[in-house]
């Protein structure tokens, strides 16, 4: 799968989840994908797993990262990291509407105020994959959760099924 197909899949998955939470679709921004690609490449090259400084030309970005490892040669689709991030909905308390450890990936995916996204992935060629998504404006801002992380329109919380990681 090409990186452009990965990005398309990831954005489509995000926008499907965002629609459930009354958030407008994210639009692709190439500068955010370039930023995400540089960070994914860095994580692979340094065999590390941590967030970037989330700063692009002085502007604060939101960021989600994910990793996958498989002993069999498999691809990393855009749906996989998005499902993993979204699955944190299980721990989020919509009544409390604030940051809670273990929910920040989910809240960034559906953050109503974010308008643009860029994404990338990198592999070591031995089964390890890293995915990075960059968001503008950044989500997860204290005091803004009630306005930006809305419950599902239908009231049903669905957890995506885990697929091998």
């Amino acid at each position: 799968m090409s990186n452009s197909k990965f990005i398309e899949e990831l954005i489509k998955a995000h926008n499907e989840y965002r629609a459930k939470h009354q958030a407008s679709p994210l639009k692709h921004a190439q500068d955010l994908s370039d930023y995400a690609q540089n960070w994914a490449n860095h994580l692979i090259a340094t065999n590390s797993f941590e967030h970037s400084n989330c700063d692009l030309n002085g502007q604060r970005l939101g960021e989600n990262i994910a990793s996958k490892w498989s002993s069999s040669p498999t691809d990393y689709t855009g749906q996989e990291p998005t499902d993993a991030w979204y699955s944190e909905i299980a721990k989020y308390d919509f009544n409390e509407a604030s940051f809670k450890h273990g929910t920040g990936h989910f809240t960034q995916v559906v953050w109503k105020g974010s308008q643009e996204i860029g994404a990338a992935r990198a592999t070591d060629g031995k089964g390890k994959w890293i995915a990075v998504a960059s968001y503008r404006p950044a989500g997860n801002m204290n005091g803004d959760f009630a306005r930006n992380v809305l419950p599902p329109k239908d009231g049903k919380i669905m957890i995506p099924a885990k697929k091998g990681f």
Side-chain angles (χ1 to χ4, degrees):
M1 170 192 317
S2 69
N3 276 341
S4 60
K5 181 143 172 67
F6 170 82
I7 293 167
E8 287 174 27
E9 285 182 3
L10 187 133
I11 294 171
K12 180 177 184 266
H14 270 69
N15 288 338
E16 287 171 358
Y17 285 131
R18 290 173 64 81
K20 293 180 183 191
H21 294 268
Q22 304 164 64
S24 61
L26 294 169
K27 292 180 175 56
H28 179 249
Q30 188 59 51
D31 64 331
L32 294 179
S33 284
D34 294 343
Y35 183 90
Q37 188 65 65
N38 287 336
W39 191 246
N41 292 344
H42 168 79
L43 293 177
I44 286 291
T46 60
N47 195 28
S48 56
F49 190 72
E50 61 190 358
H51 285 283
S52 72
N53 66 7
C54 298
D55 180 275
L56 179 61
N57 302 321
Q59 186 173 38
R60 186 90 179 131
L61 302 178
E63 182 175 79
N64 279 343
I65 60 175
S67 68
K68 169 183 158 174
W69 189 88
S70 175
S71 59
S72 62
T74 60
D75 210 340
Y76 202 10
T77 69
Q79 189 74 48
E80 289 175 278
T82 307
D83 284 352
W85 297 326
Y86 185 83
S87 69
E88 292 179 359
I89 190 174
K91 299 177 189 172
Y92 189 75
D93 183 346
F94 288 95
N95 295 319
E96 191 176 309
S98 64
F99 182 80
K100 180 180 175 188
H101 183 71
T103 64
H105 298 102
F106 157 69
T107 53
Q108 179 59 81
V109 167
V110 301
W111 194 265
K112 195 172 183 178
S114 293
Q115 299 168 359
E116 296 178 301
I117 188 171
R121 65 189 180 154
T123 183
D124 65 0
K126 301 176 205 159
K128 180 178 179 179
W129 286 92
I130 298 283
V132 177
S134 301
Y135 306 84
R136 185 171 46 215
N140 294 336
M141 307 306 278
N142 284 331
D144 287 340
F145 281 81
R147 281 189 302 276
N148 285 283
V149 183
L150 304 176
K153 285 189 276 191
D154 63 6
K156 296 177 184 171
I157 294 182
M158 306 287 279
I159 313 299
K162 287 202 175 202
K163 297 176 184 124
F165 68 102

